[in-house]
Amino acid sequence: MKVPRRGEDPSPRKQGRVYPPSRVASPRPRHFQNHPPKTSASMEESLYIVKDIPTLGKGMFATQDIKRGTCIISESPLVYVSKNDSFETVQAIQALSNKNKKGFFALHNSFPELPLGFGIVKTNGLPLGQDPARGAVYRVISRINHSCTPNVTHAWNSKTKKEYIHAIEDIPAGAEIMTSYISLLMKRADRQASLKHSFRFKCHCSLCIATTAISKDYDIAVPRINECKDLIIQYAIKNPRKALGHVREGLALLDKFSNRGKMNFYFDAFQICAIFSNYDLAKKWAELYLEEYRVEEGVTGSQYEQFVEFSQNPKSFEQAGAAFIDLSSA
Ligand SMILES: C[S@@+](CC[C@H](N)C(=O)[O-])C[C@H]1O[C@@H](n2cnc3c(N)ncnc32)[C@H](O)[C@@H]1O
Protein backbone atom coordinates (compact mmCIF):
# COMPACT_ATOMS: atom_id res chain seq x y z
CA MET A 1 0.00 0.00 0.00
CA LYS A 2 1.31 3.41 -0.79
CA VAL A 3 0.02 6.92 -0.42
CA PRO A 4 -0.24 8.61 -3.79
CA ARG A 5 2.81 10.73 -4.31
CA ARG A 6 2.43 14.45 -4.60
CA GLY A 7 2.70 14.18 -8.35
CA GLU A 8 -0.36 11.97 -8.33
CA ASP A 9 -2.45 14.36 -6.29
CA PRO A 10 -5.27 15.37 -8.60
CA SER A 11 -5.07 18.95 -7.39
CA PRO A 12 -3.65 21.15 -10.11
CA ARG A 13 -0.60 23.05 -8.93
CA LYS A 14 -0.92 26.80 -9.14
CA GLN A 15 2.65 27.54 -9.61
CA GLY A 16 5.05 28.21 -12.32
CA ARG A 17 4.50 30.19 -15.36
CA VAL A 18 5.92 29.25 -18.63
CA TYR A 19 9.08 27.80 -19.72
CA PRO A 20 11.66 28.83 -22.14
CA PRO A 21 10.64 27.15 -25.41
CA SER A 22 14.03 25.47 -25.46
CA ARG A 23 12.95 23.56 -22.37
CA VAL A 24 9.62 22.55 -23.88
CA ALA A 25 8.90 18.96 -24.78
CA SER A 26 5.89 17.18 -26.08
CA PRO A 27 4.12 17.58 -29.41
CA ARG A 28 1.01 19.70 -29.44
CA PRO A 29 -2.16 17.83 -30.38
CA ARG A 30 -2.83 17.95 -34.09
CA HIS A 31 -5.95 20.00 -33.95
CA PHE A 32 -4.05 22.96 -32.54
CA GLN A 33 -1.84 23.11 -35.59
CA ASN A 34 -4.41 23.65 -38.24
CA HIS A 35 -7.15 25.35 -36.30
CA PRO A 36 -5.75 27.88 -33.89
CA PRO A 37 -8.54 28.60 -31.43
CA LYS A 38 -10.12 32.00 -31.23
CA THR A 39 -9.29 34.13 -28.26
CA SER A 40 -12.29 35.28 -26.33
CA ALA A 41 -12.23 37.23 -23.14
CA SER A 42 -15.58 36.40 -21.55
CA MET A 43 -18.41 38.53 -20.30
CA GLU A 44 -16.86 39.24 -16.89
CA GLU A 45 -14.94 42.02 -18.67
CA SER A 46 -16.48 44.79 -16.61
CA LEU A 47 -14.69 43.58 -13.47
CA TYR A 48 -11.30 44.63 -14.80
CA ILE A 49 -9.47 47.02 -17.03
CA VAL A 50 -6.04 46.60 -18.60
CA LYS A 51 -4.09 49.84 -18.49
CA ASP A 52 -0.60 51.29 -18.63
CA ILE A 53 1.46 51.53 -15.47
CA PRO A 54 4.28 54.08 -15.57
CA THR A 55 7.58 52.22 -16.18
CA LEU A 56 5.97 48.76 -15.76
CA GLY A 57 4.17 48.33 -19.07
CA LYS A 58 0.58 47.21 -18.65
CA GLY A 59 -1.32 45.61 -15.81
CA MET A 60 -4.87 44.55 -14.90
CA PHE A 61 -6.94 46.54 -12.38
CA ALA A 62 -10.27 45.98 -10.62
CA THR A 63 -12.99 48.32 -11.86
CA GLN A 64 -15.24 47.49 -8.89
CA ASP A 65 -15.02 45.72 -5.55
CA ILE A 66 -14.49 42.01 -6.25
CA LYS A 67 -15.40 39.33 -3.71
CA ARG A 68 -13.15 36.38 -2.88
CA GLY A 69 -14.02 33.43 -5.12
CA THR A 70 -15.25 35.57 -8.04
CA CYS A 71 -14.17 34.54 -11.52
CA ILE A 72 -12.66 37.74 -12.92
CA ILE A 73 -11.98 36.49 -16.41
CA SER A 74 -11.92 33.25 -18.38
CA GLU A 75 -10.11 33.26 -21.68
CA SER A 76 -9.21 30.89 -24.51
CA PRO A 77 -5.55 30.81 -25.54
CA LEU A 78 -4.34 33.13 -28.23
CA VAL A 79 -1.77 30.50 -29.09
CA TYR A 80 -0.72 27.12 -27.68
CA VAL A 81 2.98 26.46 -27.26
CA SER A 82 4.95 23.29 -26.94
CA LYS A 83 7.80 23.20 -24.47
CA ASN A 84 10.57 21.34 -26.19
CA ASP A 85 9.44 21.54 -29.75
CA SER A 86 10.36 25.01 -30.97
CA PHE A 87 9.25 24.15 -34.47
CA GLU A 88 5.68 23.53 -33.39
CA THR A 89 5.61 26.80 -31.48
CA VAL A 90 6.81 28.70 -34.55
CA GLN A 91 4.19 26.96 -36.68
CA ALA A 92 1.47 27.87 -34.20
CA ILE A 93 2.49 31.54 -34.22
CA GLN A 94 2.66 31.57 -38.00
CA ALA A 95 -0.78 30.00 -38.25
CA LEU A 96 -2.38 32.90 -36.33
CA SER A 97 -4.75 35.20 -38.21
CA ASN A 98 -3.35 38.66 -38.90
CA LYS A 99 -5.46 40.12 -36.09
CA ASN A 100 -4.28 37.53 -33.55
CA LYS A 101 -0.69 37.82 -34.74
CA LYS A 102 -0.90 41.56 -34.10
CA GLY A 103 -2.29 40.86 -30.61
CA PHE A 104 0.48 38.32 -29.95
CA PHE A 105 3.32 40.60 -31.04
CA ALA A 106 1.84 43.49 -29.03
CA LEU A 107 2.42 41.55 -25.77
CA HIS A 108 5.27 42.42 -23.46
CA ASN A 109 8.65 40.96 -24.36
CA SER A 110 11.30 40.73 -21.66
CA PHE A 111 13.59 38.73 -23.96
CA PRO A 112 13.80 40.75 -27.19
CA GLU A 113 17.03 39.00 -28.13
CA LEU A 114 15.11 35.74 -28.73
CA PRO A 115 13.88 35.30 -32.32
CA LEU A 116 10.48 34.47 -33.82
CA GLY A 117 8.28 35.37 -30.87
CA PHE A 118 10.01 33.11 -28.35
CA GLY A 119 10.68 36.11 -26.11
CA ILE A 120 6.93 36.74 -26.00
CA VAL A 121 6.23 33.08 -25.24
CA LYS A 122 8.84 33.07 -22.45
CA THR A 123 7.47 36.29 -20.95
CA ASN A 124 3.75 35.53 -21.21
CA GLY A 125 3.17 31.79 -21.40
CA LEU A 126 1.25 29.91 -18.73
CA PRO A 127 1.30 26.16 -18.20
CA LEU A 128 -1.70 24.13 -19.31
CA GLY A 129 -2.59 22.53 -15.99
CA GLN A 130 -0.29 19.78 -14.80
CA ASP A 131 1.29 19.02 -18.14
CA PRO A 132 4.77 20.51 -17.93
CA ALA A 133 5.23 20.17 -21.66
CA ARG A 134 2.41 22.40 -22.83
CA GLY A 135 1.56 26.04 -22.37
CA ALA A 136 -0.42 28.92 -23.82
CA VAL A 137 -0.28 32.68 -24.28
CA TYR A 138 -3.34 34.88 -23.74
CA ARG A 139 -4.29 38.26 -25.12
CA VAL A 140 -5.68 39.60 -21.80
CA ILE A 141 -4.60 37.24 -19.00
CA SER A 142 -0.97 37.60 -20.09
CA ARG A 143 -1.20 41.25 -18.98
CA ILE A 144 -1.49 40.27 -15.32
CA ASN A 145 1.60 41.18 -13.32
CA HIS A 146 3.24 39.14 -10.56
CA SER A 147 3.11 39.44 -6.80
CA CYS A 148 4.41 37.07 -4.11
CA THR A 149 1.24 38.03 -2.22
CA PRO A 150 -1.16 37.52 -5.13
CA ASN A 151 -4.84 38.38 -4.92
CA VAL A 152 -5.85 35.97 -7.72
CA THR A 153 -4.95 32.49 -8.93
CA HIS A 154 -4.78 31.28 -12.49
CA ALA A 155 -5.99 27.80 -13.45
CA TRP A 156 -6.37 25.91 -16.71
CA ASN A 157 -9.66 24.10 -17.19
CA SER A 158 -9.17 21.08 -19.41
CA LYS A 159 -12.93 20.73 -19.97
CA THR A 160 -13.64 24.26 -21.23
CA LYS A 161 -10.12 24.74 -22.66
CA LYS A 162 -9.90 28.12 -20.98
CA GLU A 163 -7.69 29.75 -18.38
CA TYR A 164 -9.59 31.09 -15.34
CA ILE A 165 -8.62 33.90 -12.98
CA HIS A 166 -10.31 33.76 -9.56
CA ALA A 167 -10.02 36.26 -6.72
CA ILE A 168 -8.52 34.58 -3.64
CA GLU A 169 -9.26 37.57 -1.45
CA ASP A 170 -11.61 40.54 -1.56
CA ILE A 171 -10.13 43.01 -4.04
CA PRO A 172 -11.12 46.67 -3.72
CA ALA A 173 -11.99 48.74 -6.81
CA GLY A 174 -8.86 50.29 -8.28
CA ALA A 175 -6.44 47.68 -6.88
CA GLU A 176 -4.08 45.90 -9.24
CA ILE A 177 -5.01 42.28 -9.96
CA MET A 178 -1.90 40.17 -9.46
CA THR A 179 -1.10 36.49 -9.74
CA SER A 180 2.03 34.56 -8.89
CA TYR A 181 4.39 33.37 -11.61
CA ILE A 182 6.40 31.09 -9.32
CA SER A 183 6.09 28.67 -6.44
CA LEU A 184 5.69 30.78 -3.33
CA LEU A 185 7.15 28.22 -0.96
CA MET A 186 10.60 29.70 -1.46
CA LYS A 187 12.65 32.10 0.60
CA ARG A 188 12.84 35.72 -0.50
CA ALA A 189 16.30 35.41 -2.09
CA ASP A 190 15.23 32.35 -4.08
CA ARG A 191 12.00 34.00 -5.25
CA GLN A 192 13.91 37.09 -6.31
CA ALA A 193 16.51 35.01 -8.15
CA SER A 194 13.82 32.98 -9.90
CA LEU A 195 11.91 36.09 -11.05
CA LYS A 196 15.10 37.81 -12.18
CA HIS A 197 16.19 34.76 -14.14
CA SER A 198 12.84 33.86 -15.68
CA PHE A 199 11.21 37.30 -16.10
CA ARG A 200 13.92 39.90 -15.64
CA PHE A 201 12.35 41.99 -12.90
CA LYS A 202 12.79 42.65 -9.23
CA CYS A 203 9.67 42.11 -7.14
CA HIS A 204 8.84 44.83 -4.60
CA CYS A 205 5.84 43.19 -2.96
CA SER A 206 5.48 43.16 0.84
CA LEU A 207 6.97 39.67 1.05
CA CYS A 208 9.99 40.78 -0.95
CA ILE A 209 10.88 43.91 0.97
CA ALA A 210 13.64 42.40 3.04
CA THR A 211 13.35 44.82 5.95
CA THR A 212 9.73 44.01 6.81
CA ALA A 213 8.94 41.66 9.68
CA ILE A 214 6.60 39.64 7.48
CA SER A 215 9.39 38.99 4.97
CA LYS A 216 11.76 37.81 7.70
CA ASP A 217 9.11 35.64 9.36
CA TYR A 218 8.19 34.08 6.04
CA ASP A 219 11.83 33.23 5.33
CA ILE A 220 11.98 31.40 8.65
CA ALA A 221 8.68 29.60 8.10
CA VAL A 222 9.17 28.43 4.50
CA PRO A 223 11.83 25.75 5.09
CA ARG A 224 9.74 24.26 7.90
CA ILE A 225 6.57 24.28 5.74
CA ASN A 226 8.48 22.40 3.04
CA GLU A 227 9.85 20.03 5.66
CA CYS A 228 6.31 19.33 6.87
CA LYS A 229 5.31 18.44 3.30
CA ASP A 230 8.13 15.89 3.14
CA LEU A 231 7.41 14.51 6.61
CA ILE A 232 3.76 13.94 5.72
CA ILE A 233 4.80 11.72 2.83
CA GLN A 234 7.42 9.99 4.97
CA TYR A 235 5.02 9.14 7.80
CA ALA A 236 1.70 8.82 5.97
CA ILE A 237 1.72 5.03 6.16
CA LYS A 238 4.10 4.14 8.95
CA ASN A 239 2.78 6.70 11.43
CA PRO A 240 -0.38 8.43 10.17
CA ARG A 241 -0.93 10.26 13.48
CA LYS A 242 2.47 11.86 13.15
CA ALA A 243 1.77 12.68 9.49
CA LEU A 244 -1.48 14.42 10.47
CA GLY A 245 0.47 16.37 13.11
CA HIS A 246 2.68 17.70 10.33
CA VAL A 247 -0.41 18.57 8.29
CA ARG A 248 -1.64 20.71 11.18
CA GLU A 249 1.77 22.26 11.74
CA GLY A 250 2.15 23.16 8.04
CA LEU A 251 -1.34 24.67 7.95
CA ALA A 252 -0.74 26.71 11.11
CA LEU A 253 2.48 28.13 9.64
CA LEU A 254 0.79 28.95 6.33
CA ASP A 255 -2.12 30.55 8.14
CA LYS A 256 0.10 33.38 9.36
CA PHE A 257 0.84 34.51 5.84
CA SER A 258 -1.94 33.75 3.40
CA ASN A 259 -4.65 31.38 2.32
CA ARG A 260 -2.47 30.03 -0.44
CA GLY A 261 -0.81 26.64 -0.44
CA LYS A 262 -3.25 24.93 1.91
CA MET A 263 -4.96 22.71 -0.64
CA ASN A 264 -2.16 20.15 -0.82
CA PHE A 265 -2.16 19.77 2.96
CA TYR A 266 -5.92 19.28 2.99
CA PHE A 267 -5.69 16.67 0.28
CA ASP A 268 -2.86 14.80 2.01
CA ALA A 269 -4.91 14.70 5.22
CA PHE A 270 -7.95 13.48 3.31
CA GLN A 271 -5.96 10.63 1.77
CA ILE A 272 -4.46 9.54 5.07
CA CYS A 273 -7.83 9.52 6.84
CA ALA A 274 -9.54 7.70 3.99
CA ILE A 275 -6.79 5.07 3.70
CA PHE A 276 -7.02 4.38 7.44
CA SER A 277 -10.84 4.15 7.33
CA ASN A 278 -11.56 7.36 9.29
CA TYR A 279 -14.34 8.45 6.96
CA ASP A 280 -15.87 11.22 9.06
CA LEU A 281 -12.48 12.87 9.38
CA ALA A 282 -11.72 12.25 5.71
CA LYS A 283 -14.97 14.00 4.84
CA LYS A 284 -14.00 17.08 6.85
CA TRP A 285 -10.63 17.37 5.13
CA ALA A 286 -12.24 16.85 1.71
CA GLU A 287 -14.76 19.61 2.51
CA LEU A 288 -11.93 22.00 3.41
CA TYR A 289 -10.25 21.08 0.16
CA LEU A 290 -13.45 21.60 -1.79
CA GLU A 291 -14.02 25.01 -0.20
CA GLU A 292 -10.59 26.19 -1.40
CA TYR A 293 -11.11 24.56 -4.78
CA ARG A 294 -14.35 26.50 -5.23
CA VAL A 295 -12.55 29.77 -4.49
CA GLU A 296 -9.56 29.04 -6.70
CA GLU A 297 -11.19 27.27 -9.64
CA GLY A 298 -14.93 27.60 -9.27
CA VAL A 299 -17.60 24.96 -9.64
CA THR A 300 -16.78 24.55 -13.32
CA GLY A 301 -13.20 23.46 -12.47
CA SER A 302 -12.07 20.30 -14.26
CA GLN A 303 -11.94 18.22 -11.07
CA TYR A 304 -14.79 19.75 -9.11
CA GLU A 305 -17.13 16.76 -9.39
CA GLN A 306 -14.42 14.38 -8.26
CA PHE A 307 -13.85 16.35 -5.06
CA VAL A 308 -17.58 16.69 -4.43
CA GLU A 309 -17.71 12.90 -4.62
CA PHE A 310 -14.78 12.53 -2.19
CA SER A 311 -16.38 14.92 0.27
CA GLN A 312 -19.74 13.14 0.13
CA ASN A 313 -18.41 9.63 -0.06
CA PRO A 314 -14.74 9.29 1.02
CA LYS A 315 -14.96 5.57 0.35
CA SER A 316 -14.95 6.42 -3.36
CA PHE A 317 -11.26 7.27 -3.00
CA GLU A 318 -9.34 4.44 -4.67
CA GLN A 319 -7.25 3.44 -1.65
CA ALA A 320 -9.91 4.06 0.98
CA GLY A 321 -10.22 1.47 3.73
CA ALA A 322 -6.89 -0.19 3.06
CA ALA A 323 -6.18 -0.30 6.82
CA PHE A 324 -7.65 0.81 10.13
CA ILE A 325 -6.15 3.07 12.78
CA ASP A 326 -8.32 5.35 14.90
CA LEU A 327 -7.11 8.87 14.07
CA SER A 328 -9.87 10.76 15.83
CA SER A 329 -7.52 12.17 18.45
CA ALA A 330 -4.65 12.86 16.01
C1 LIG B 1 3.22 38.44 -18.42
S1 LIG B 1 3.95 40.02 -18.51
C2 LIG B 1 2.86 40.94 -17.49
C3 LIG B 1 2.27 42.14 -18.20
C4 LIG B 1 3.24 43.20 -18.61
N1 LIG B 1 3.50 44.13 -17.52
C5 LIG B 1 2.78 43.94 -19.83
O1 LIG B 1 3.06 45.13 -19.94
O2 LIG B 1 2.17 43.32 -20.70
C6 LIG B 1 5.35 39.72 -17.50
C7 LIG B 1 6.32 40.87 -17.48
O3 LIG B 1 5.74 41.98 -16.80
C8 LIG B 1 6.68 42.61 -15.94
N2 LIG B 1 6.27 42.40 -14.54
C9 LIG B 1 5.35 41.52 -14.09
N3 LIG B 1 5.20 41.61 -12.77
C10 LIG B 1 6.05 42.56 -12.35
C11 LIG B 1 6.37 43.10 -11.07
N4 LIG B 1 5.78 42.67 -9.96
N5 LIG B 1 7.31 44.08 -11.01
C12 LIG B 1 7.92 44.51 -12.14
N6 LIG B 1 7.67 44.05 -13.38
C13 LIG B 1 6.73 43.07 -13.50
C14 LIG B 1 8.02 41.92 -16.22
O4 LIG B 1 8.67 42.62 -17.23
C15 LIG B 1 7.58 40.56 -16.70
O5 LIG B 1 8.57 39.93 -17.51
Side-chain angles (χ1 to χ4, degrees):
M1 177 180 56
K2 97 182 185 353
V3 164
R5 294 169 57 80
R6 282 178 192 277
E8 295 163 0
D9 170 349
S11 151
R13 295 292 181 275
K14 311 290 181 335
Q15 51 179 260
R17 203 173 165 78
V18 164
Y19 10 75
S22 54
R23 277 196 268 136
V24 184
S26 81
R28 201 156 22 85
R30 285 260 159 240
H31 62 279
F32 295 145
Q33 283 181 7
N34 301 328
H35 304 288
K38 286 182 191 149
T39 291
S40 62
S42 71
M43 66 205 178
E44 305 97 355
E45 215 158 329
S46 59
L47 294 177
Y48 68 84
I49 184 171
V50 171
K51 62 179 186 187
D52 290 322
I53 313 172
T55 74
L56 275 185
K58 291 185 187 300
M60 183 185 275
F61 292 81
T63 51
Q64 51 184 276
D65 292 347
I66 299 173
K67 283 262 165 260
R68 177 170 190 259
T70 305
C71 175
I72 297 173
I73 174 176
S74 60
E75 187 182 14
S76 305
L78 183 58
V79 65
Y80 288 88
V81 294
S82 168
K83 257 198 177 183
N84 276 349
D85 194 334
S86 310
F87 185 63
E88 285 203 14
T89 298
V90 171
Q91 274 191 322
I93 296 168
Q94 281 174 349
L96 289 170
S97 67
N98 284 343
K99 185 175 162 234
N100 284 345
K101 210 176 268 179
K102 211 170 149 194
F104 175 82
F105 282 104
L107 289 170
H108 188 74
N109 187 354
S110 293
F111 302 88
E113 73 278 13
L114 296 179
L116 304 168
F118 283 121
I120 290 176
V121 170
K122 189 164 156 59
T123 308
N124 296 282
L126 285 166
L128 289 187
Q130 294 280 64
D131 186 348
R134 299 176 63 230
V137 172
Y138 302 84
R139 189 192 294 274
V140 179
I141 286 177
S142 291
R143 295 296 186 181
I144 300 177
N145 285 317
H146 164 89
S147 172
C148 302
T149 51
N151 50 17
V152 298
T153 51
H154 54 267
W156 172 251
N157 185 315
S158 56
K159 284 194 297 198
T160 60
K161 305 272 181 258
K162 284 182 175 187
E163 185 78 9
Y164 287 73
I165 302 293
H166 281 91
I168 52 169
E169 60 187 41
D170 291 348
I171 305 174
E176 185 169 1
I177 290 167
M178 301 181 97
T179 192
S180 173
Y181 296 177
I182 55 170
S183 162
L184 293 178
L185 283 181
M186 289 195 279
K187 289 169 112 173
R188 175 185 172 275
D190 296 333
R191 294 195 311 278
Q192 292 266 326
S194 172
L195 291 167
K196 186 87 193 156
H197 172 76
S198 300
F199 300 100
R200 293 191 173 162
F201 71 88
K202 186 170 161 90
C203 185
H204 289 102
C205 76
S206 58
L207 265 192
C208 282
I209 299 173
T211 49
T212 60
I214 187 172
S215 179
K216 288 178 183 161
D217 289 351
Y218 193 70
D219 269 10
I220 294 167
V222 155
R224 184 61 190 164
I225 296 170
N226 283 324
E227 230 166 76
C228 284
K229 287 169 72 174
D230 294 339
L231 290 167
I232 293 165
I233 297 293
Q234 196 178 320
Y235 287 110
I237 297 303
K238 60 181 181 200
N239 190 343
R241 282 172 185 278
K242 197 167 167 137
L244 285 179
H246 290 302
V247 167
R248 291 187 200 286
E249 184 190 349
L251 286 171
L253 285 169
L254 276 171
D255 215 29
K256 292 186 190 160
F257 303 99
S258 81
N259 274 331
R260 289 210 65 187
K262 291 185 181 172
M263 285 170 81
N264 294 334
F265 284 99
Y266 292 150
F267 194 70
D268 286 345
F270 160 74
Q271 290 178 96
I272 293 167
C273 294
I275 287 169
F276 287 97
S277 314
N278 289 244
Y279 299 119
D280 286 345
L281 268 181
K283 240 175 138 152
K284 283 186 186 146
W285 287 111
E287 278 161 9
L288 286 169
Y289 184 92
L290 194 61
E291 210 174 294
E292 288 301 309
Y293 189 90
R294 264 195 215 106
V295 169
E296 297 200 9
E297 301 199 27
V299 295
T300 56
S302 330
Q303 285 147 336
Y304 182 72
E305 278 100 18
Q306 185 185 354
F307 293 120
V308 170
E309 175 70 14
F310 285 160
S311 67
Q312 288 170 355
N313 175 21
K315 288 184 186 171
S316 64
F317 178 62
E318 210 180 314
Q319 288 162 293
F324 179 77
I325 289 180
D326 182 4
L327 297 170
S328 53
S329 59

